Amino acid sequence: MEKMHHQPFEGTENWFNENLPISQEQMKERYDFWAGGDIEVEPVITKPQELLAVSLLLNKACLPDIKNLSLSTLHLLQKSIRSCYAQSGIEIIPEIGKLTPEDIDKIKAGETIGCPAMVLSHSLRPINLKGRVMRFFWTNTEACLIKNNLIETVRDKMAIKGIEGKDWWFGEEVIDEETKRVFGEDVPRSSQPSDALTLCLKIQEKRLWYPPGDEPISVDSRADLAKHIEPIPDGIDPYFIIGETPWISFPKDIVGVLNLGAHDRTSARHAHSPLIDPGFEGPIRLELINGPRHPDYVELLIYQIRK
């Protein structure tokens, strides 16, 4: 048979090898849920609505503690931007494919290495990007709650302010385009154990933003956020907005992950800040990108931590 001459994506030859199933099994054996330490970035000032190359600092605390840590392990991980930066319109894409097995060996030996990354700013003003900016995390798909387990956990162990069916509901599987009804009262809202796959939270009417400006701002704490964030004036429909869900409470053994794979006819999406930690209480702040009309709700995948 004639050989195919497709060029591999950069770094894939180091990812998709015998280490991948080994990493997967070791993660499952040790964790139902894992979140790493905060990853720092070399300080830089972003420009409004532009891409910028940066360097992230990776070490042992940022990665899972498994015996066969490898580049394949990194392929299994998801990323979550710190909320204060996500709410300022910052998304960070680590270029893991540019790392080498030698880089992983240095991390295992206790060194800190630089990892190339791209920063995409959706903000209308410059942002001082510094310090702790994101985390890697991992969830065991086998621990994802669906159907009756999901319904019982939400109703019995979690608290949500509002009315079921109006302010929150259980999302069911979408079969085809004809049934993809995603807005307001048209959303499929299930209370049947055979249908429930996600927890849906209605986005509140209050919408916020960072007004345009030329001076760089620092947003590495909630206090910094409060100085700059404002309600969106009437008549303005910005590309990037901040929203909130109803108040919600998570037990210490429950993890929430926003479903970034959910699509609707607006093409709006949530930023890469999907992780809701165990024990979280309060309204979930949402970073909504790329209208033209923003969604009315978000979906959460709910995971049980059993070990």
Side-chain angles (χ1 to χ4, degrees), residues 23-136:
S23 291
Q24 198 161 25
E25 285 306 310
Q26 290 188 358
M27 291 293 289
K28 286 183 178 181
E29 287 174 5
R30 178 144 196 189
Y31 309 107
D32 274 326
F33 165 71
W34 169 87
D38 287 317
I39 299 171
E40 297 192 10
V41 66
E42 293 183 355
V44 68
I45 297 177
T46 69
K47 295 181 180 180
Q49 298 184 315
E50 286 193 10
L51 273 171
L52 181 67
V54 299
S55 180
L56 301 174
L57 304 179
L58 299 186
N59 53 42
K60 275 186 175 181
C62 306
L63 299 176
D65 183 16
I66 61 173
K67 181 178 179 181
N68 292 89
L69 181 68
S70 67
L71 286 176
S72 295
T73 310
L74 273 63
H75 173 66
L76 300 174
L77 307 181
Q78 299 183 64
K79 63 180 181 293
S80 190
I81 314 303
R82 279 188 66 205
S83 60
C84 56
Y85 282 112
Q87 288 171 41
S88 65
I90 296 296
E91 289 197 285
I92 303 172
I93 304 108
E95 296 187 284
I96 301 299
K98 293 185 176 180
L99 297 179
T100 67
E102 289 73 27
D103 290 322
I104 302 301
D105 289 339
K106 290 178 182 178
I107 290 175
K108 289 179 179 179
E111 297 184 36
T112 296
I113 68 163
C115 174
M118 297 301 296
V119 170
L120 174 59
S121 175
H122 303 286
S123 177
L124 296 175
R125 62 188 308 166
I127 305 294
N128 285 316
L129 191 64
K130 59 184 178 179
R132 302 174 296 118
V133 293
M134 63 171 288
R135 291 182 291 170
F136 289 129

Side-chain angles (χ1 to χ4, degrees), residues 146-171:
I146 62 172
K147 302 183 178 181
N148 193 59
N149 288 335
L150 173 62
I151 291 175
E152 289 181 357
T153 296
V154 172
R155 289 177 175 168
D156 297 343
K157 298 181 66 176
M158 302 173 67
I160 309 172
K161 289 186 178 179
I163 302 170
E164 182 177 353
K166 179 180 177 182
D167 300 296
W168 63 273
W169 57 91
F170 296 102

Side-chain angles (χ1 to χ4, degrees), residues 236-257:
I236 295 180
D237 186 18
Y239 170 85
F240 171 77
I241 69 172
I242 302 163
E244 286 186 353
T245 71
W247 186 96
I248 186 169
S249 173
F250 283 74
K252 295 291 186 181
D253 62 343
I254 296 295
V255 176
V257 179

